[in-house]
């Protein structure tokens, strides 16, 4: 098992390198950048002081060099004006739009983003697992129809519209807070039980909004997988031999149906992260979503590049968790990989 995890970790390294190259190329595809646009504007207005500062920042962050060299300096494997000082050394760069280091711009929003998406993943699995299993066991019953209804609503309703509906009725009927991830009185305060409770209360609406579409898809997938397993001859034989229903369900059919269910963690996390960007704007959540949209609009390459790298890392971690969970659930996966490597 340890060799299996190490192999997966080693695969993540070239994947991150390839993703970082693709991100850097894409964010540099539009003509110009933030500083180039600012320099052109300052020259047009004759503001020499601001022009000198913009030129200095352009040299300071190697933006006057060829694109491949800019990438290597950004990563931290090529010396810039201040030596090796890139992502690998912990320097996230400078946000030209906010006029301060990227680390100060993102700050706590990184942790809020992780907490929000982790809550959404837990919501998806805690709701979809029992609902999908019950829908398969009680196929064509009211439970199945209820699961189908929830699924259709979750898949058909736009997230931003659902967010507005839940915000209105949640505040009107339940008194749930509107916007943000904690009350104003807890901002810049040390961690306490009151602050934790405020965060959990503010997480209710965004977690449901972000996780509902994923929940709907996972319910339908688990139902289909489990129905397929329950119709196989070995289940019919176990029923004929008088095996108790609960044991007959959990012994093999449910475990076999969980393989695709668990493997979807890797594909679920990217959709949740991308979906949370728009929801963060609608609900005024202090996550990296609004900062990413602003950075892309302003062509703030270091801020947008780091945020996209952070999202990519979250996706790779999700896929690693998915692989480990699958290997624990079905030993044939890790044993099969090991035998291939030996052969």
């Amino acid at each position: 098992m340890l060799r299996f995890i190490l192999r997966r970790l080693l695969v993540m390294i070239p994947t991150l390198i390839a993703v970082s190259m693709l991100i850097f190329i894409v964010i540099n595809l539009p003509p110009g950048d933030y500083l180039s646009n600012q320099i052109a504007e300052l020259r047009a207005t004759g503001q020499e002081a601001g022009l000198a500062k913009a030129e200095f920042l352009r040299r300071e962050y190697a933006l006057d060099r060829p694109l491949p060299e800019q990438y290597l300096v950004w990563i931290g494997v090529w010396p810039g004006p201040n030596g090796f000082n890139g992502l690998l050394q912990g320097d996230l760069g400078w946000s030209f739009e906010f006029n301060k280091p990227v680390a100060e711009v993102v700050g706590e929003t990184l942790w809020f983003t992780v907490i929000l998406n982790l809550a959404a993943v837990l919501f998806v699995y805690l709701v979809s697992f029992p609902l999908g299993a019950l829908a398969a066991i009680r196929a064509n019953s009211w439970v199945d129809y209820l699961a189908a209804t929830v699924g259709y609503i979750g898949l058909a309703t736009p997230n931003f519209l659902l967010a507005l509906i839940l915000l209105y009725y949640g505040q009107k009927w339940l008194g749930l807070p509107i916007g943000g991830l904690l009350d104003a009185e807890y901002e810049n305060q040390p961690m306490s039980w009151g602050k934790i409770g405020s965060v959990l209360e503010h997480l209710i609406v965004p977690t449901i909004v972000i996780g509902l579409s994923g929940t709907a898809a996972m319910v339908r997938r688990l139902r289909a997988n489990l129905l397929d397993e329950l119709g196989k001859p070995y289940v019919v034989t176990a029923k004929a031999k008088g095996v108790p229903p609960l044991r007959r369900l959990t012994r093999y059919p449910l475990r076999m149906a969980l393989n695709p269910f668990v493997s979807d963690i890797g594909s679920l996390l990217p959709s949740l992260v991308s979906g949370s960007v728009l929801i963060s704007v609608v609900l005024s959540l202090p996550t990296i979503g609004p900062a990413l949209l602003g950075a892309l609009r302003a062509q703030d390459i270091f801020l947008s590049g780091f945020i996209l790298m952070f999202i990519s890392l979250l996706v790779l971690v999700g896929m690693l968790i998915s692989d480990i969970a699958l290997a624990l659930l079905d030993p044939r996966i890790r044993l099969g990989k090991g035998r291939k490597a030996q052969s």
Side-chain angles (χ1 to χ4, degrees):
M1 187 64 185
L2 182 59
R3 287 197 300 268
F4 177 81
I5 296 174
L6 289 176
R7 283 198 302 269
R8 286 292 182 268
L9 289 173
L10 290 176
V11 169
M12 289 175 63
I13 297 175
T15 304
L16 268 179
I17 294 173
V19 168
S20 67
M21 293 175 63
L22 184 61
I23 287 173
F24 197 79
I25 291 172
V26 169
I27 61 179
N28 280 282
L29 282 179
D33 53 50
Y34 185 90
L35 285 179
S36 298
N37 299 334
Q38 189 180 47
I39 289 172
E41 183 180 344
L42 291 172
R43 280 177 178 166
T45 56
Q47 300 180 34
E48 295 298 329
L51 182 61
K53 181 181 179 181
E55 292 283 5
F56 169 76
L57 288 174
R58 189 171 181 81
R59 292 190 302 270
E60 182 73 8
Y61 289 95
L63 296 178
D64 56 342
R65 303 187 184 186
L67 193 61
E69 193 172 343
Q70 290 182 36
Y71 166 75
L72 295 176
V73 172
W74 176 57
I75 293 298
V77 297
W78 191 269
N82 299 312
F84 292 91
N85 197 20
L87 292 181
L88 294 178
Q89 289 77 32
D91 184 3
L92 308 183
W94 184 270
S95 173
F96 304 115
E97 183 184 11
F98 294 93
N99 198 28
K100 56 184 178 180
V102 171
E104 293 184 13
V105 175
V106 292
E108 291 186 348
T109 60
L110 290 180
W111 297 111
F112 282 136
T113 302
V114 172
I115 291 171
L116 179 59
N117 286 281
L118 179 61
V121 171
L122 290 175
F123 173 81
V124 168
Y125 278 90
L126 290 176
V127 174
S128 60
F129 177 73
L131 200 56
L134 284 173
I137 298 168
R138 300 284 186 262
N140 300 320
S141 66
W142 68 270
V143 177
D144 190 14
Y145 297 143
L146 176 63
T149 303
V150 172
Y152 294 143
I153 293 175
L155 291 173
T157 308
N159 282 352
F160 67 90
L161 178 60
L162 183 62
L164 295 175
I165 293 173
L166 287 181
L167 271 182
Y168 177 76
Y169 287 105
Q171 202 282 330
K172 181 179 180 180
W173 293 343
L174 302 176
L176 294 177
I178 297 177
L181 276 182
L182 75 166
D183 294 329
E185 61 186 276
Y186 293 110
E187 291 183 1
N188 301 320
Q189 295 295 322
M191 188 58 64
S192 63
W193 288 111
K195 187 173 183 177
I196 293 173
S198 178
V199 171
L200 293 177
E201 188 179 18
H202 281 75
L203 278 176
I204 294 174
V205 171
T207 299
I208 295 174
V209 172
I210 296 171
L212 191 58
S213 59
T215 300
M218 299 292 273
V219 166
R220 305 310 296 169
R221 191 168 295 117
L222 180 59
R223 177 187 181 277
N225 294 336
L226 188 54
L227 273 178
D228 181 60
E229 290 296 325
L230 291 175
K232 289 185 176 179
Y234 74 90
V235 179
V236 177
T237 302
K239 184 177 181 180
K241 290 186 175 182
V243 178
L246 183 60
R247 186 181 177 190
R248 189 171 68 239
L249 174 68
T250 57
R251 184 68 176 175
Y252 290 111
L254 189 58
R255 290 179 61 188
M256 297 302 296
L258 283 179
N259 278 13
F261 186 74
V262 172
S263 66
D264 281 338
I265 296 177
S267 59
L268 176 67
L269 196 56
S271 63
L272 292 179
V273 172
S274 59
S276 66
V277 172
L278 179 58
I279 299 305
S280 297
V281 175
V282 174
L283 299 181
S284 301
L285 301 178
T287 66
I288 58 176
L292 175 59
L293 289 178
L296 291 175
R297 283 198 301 264
Q299 294 181 279
D300 194 345
I301 58 174
F302 293 119
L303 179 58
S304 57
F306 169 73
I307 292 176
L308 290 173
M309 281 293 293
F310 178 74
I311 293 174
S312 302
L313 182 62
L314 282 183
V315 172
L316 290 177
V317 170
M319 296 179 68
L320 176 64
I321 294 173
S322 172
D323 288 339
I324 294 174
L326 275 176
L328 292 173
L329 187 66
D330 190 350
R332 294 175 300 176
I333 294 175
R334 66 175 184 270
L335 291 176
K337 294 291 184 182
R339 286 167 184 164
K340 285 183 180 180
Q342 291 175 1
S343 62

